[in-house]
Amino acid sequence: MTTTEIAGTPVERDAEGFLVDPSQWTREVAEEIARENGIELTPAHWQVVQFMRNRYLETGSAPSIRSLGKESGVPIKELYQLFPKGPAKLAAKIGGIPKPRGCI
Amino acid sequence: MVELLQAPEQEEKVGREPIEKVSIVVSHGSLEGIYPGLIMANGARMEGIEADLFFTFFGLDAIRKDRQAKIKVATVGNPGMHLPTLVGAIPGMSWLATKMMSRQMEKLDIPPVGEFIELIHDSGGGIYACQATVEMFGLTEDDFVPELDGILTVGEFYERSAGAQIIFT
């Protein structure tokens, strides 16, 4: 766990770069983490990131890739175009929530 | 020896190449024979790892139009069920075990086989059938679900798997 400054805000991150405390998240932090991962956030990216984050804050766990595809409004094919290196994992990282632990 | 066992995990990870591609062979036609391969393929895609599924022998049932929705748990010849063989053989036992397991999987958000294949396909995973088995069972491309990307010889399978880890299930 290390504290780094992103977009002028000190944030705590784990070894893989996920935020430890979701409340330290801001839109600017999201943009910076996305850039670190080679992603420039478009409205479609935001839709997925917001869905992940809201679902986590409401239920305490991140949605599965199955429900991400069914309920976020962005179908599976497009999810992988937006986040080629893993939609659920990257959207969680950018959304400032812990790494999803599910197998699905 | 003790020192070796206690070597810190982090040190070991240094310099290891991450897995970039997997080719998963599914050779069994029971529910418990098919799901592990599907879960591993989907899990690979979720990590940004390339994944191909190669269905052979009764594993083909997972992508056959007429059988995909009828895949069952094996209640006979399956010591993991902890059921006496003769009890497992009672008509309806396999149906019941399948029903119970499917309900449990739905709770965990694990999709039914058909939807799972579609999910993996839409995620960019390849869905392939083994040519030798297709010929042996007298099947044609029309017998398979639309997600099928092709029928491959074993040679073509190895060619496609260049640089991949091959996992046999």
Side-chain angles (χ1 to χ4, degrees):
Chain A
M1 218 183 299
T2 48
T3 308
T4 50
E5 194 166 296
I6 306 181
T9 333
V11 291
E12 245 179 289
R13 303 173 77 182
D14 68 13
E16 286 179 90
F18 288 83
L19 257 58
V20 174
D21 177 3
S23 71
Q24 291 181 326
W25 181 87
T26 64
R27 287 180 73 94
E28 289 71 35
V29 168
E31 277 164 8
E32 191 53 44
I33 297 177
R35 228 166 277 138
E36 281 173 13
N37 289 276
I39 292 169
E40 205 58 52
L41 293 175
T42 63
H45 287 104
W46 274 112
Q47 190 179 336
V48 181
V49 169
Q50 291 284 8
F51 178 84
M52 280 294 278
R53 182 171 169 83
N54 292 342
R55 180 61 71 87
Y56 175 81
L57 295 177
E58 280 161 21
T59 66
S61 66
S64 67
I65 188 79
R66 184 194 191 192
S67 37
L68 196 58
K70 278 186 173 172
E71 295 160 36
S72 70
V74 180
I76 294 285
K77 263 187 199 166
E78 213 181 308
L79 283 172
Y80 277 92
Q81 283 160 6
L82 295 169
F83 306 95
K85 286 285 165 197
K89 199 174 72 170
L90 279 172
K93 194 183 269 189
I94 297 167
I97 60 171
K99 186 177 180 177
R101 296 270 311 139
C103 286
I104 305 295
Chain B
M1 193 60 198
V2 171
E3 257 174 64
L4 259 182
L5 286 172
Q6 288 174 342
E9 227 177 275
Q10 285 219 313
E11 233 169 87
E12 270 183 40
K13 281 185 183 169
V14 174
R16 278 202 199 167
E17 290 291 322
I19 294 175
E20 283 180 6
K21 189 174 173 185
V22 290
S23 278
I24 300 166
V25 183
V26 177
S27 66
H28 294 289
S30 58
L31 188 123
E32 73 277 17
I34 289 169
Y35 267 100
L38 303 189
I39 292 172
M40 290 187 76
N42 177 61
R45 292 302 303 129
M46 282 169 59
E47 292 295 321
I49 298 169
E50 268 184 74
D52 274 345
L53 276 165
F54 187 68
F55 296 91
T56 186
F57 276 78
F58 294 104
L60 279 185
D61 281 9
I63 51 170
R64 276 178 67 167
K65 277 182 203 160
D66 58 338
R67 296 199 172 171
Q68 193 177 55
K70 297 178 189 164
I71 286 156
K72 301 243 177 331
V73 176
T75 48
V76 171
N78 182 358
M81 288 296 291
H82 297 278
L83 262 184
T85 297
L86 289 176
V87 176
I90 295 171
M93 277 313 273
S94 187
W95 176 85
L96 185 70
T98 305
K99 203 89 191 150
M100 284 163 65
M101 207 174 274
S102 301
R103 196 176 307 147
Q104 200 59 33
M105 291 199 295
E106 188 57 47
K107 262 192 223 160
L108 296 170
D109 217 12
I110 302 176
V113 174
E115 191 193 325
F116 214 167
I117 298 281
E118 196 186 329
L119 172 65
I120 294 165
H121 182 257
D122 285 352
S123 310
I127 309 289
Y128 295 97
C130 155
Q131 186 176 308
T133 319
V134 169
E135 285 171 359
M136 196 171 74
F137 290 168
L139 302 169
T140 67
E141 232 168 277
D142 290 340
D143 294 306
F144 296 102
V145 295
E147 286 82 20
L148 183 77
D149 288 303
I151 299 170
L152 303 182
T153 64
V154 69
E156 287 164 342
F157 164 76
Y158 281 127
E159 228 173 88
R160 267 201 70 85
S161 303
Q165 303 274 340
I166 297 177
I167 302 164
F168 189 89
T169 68

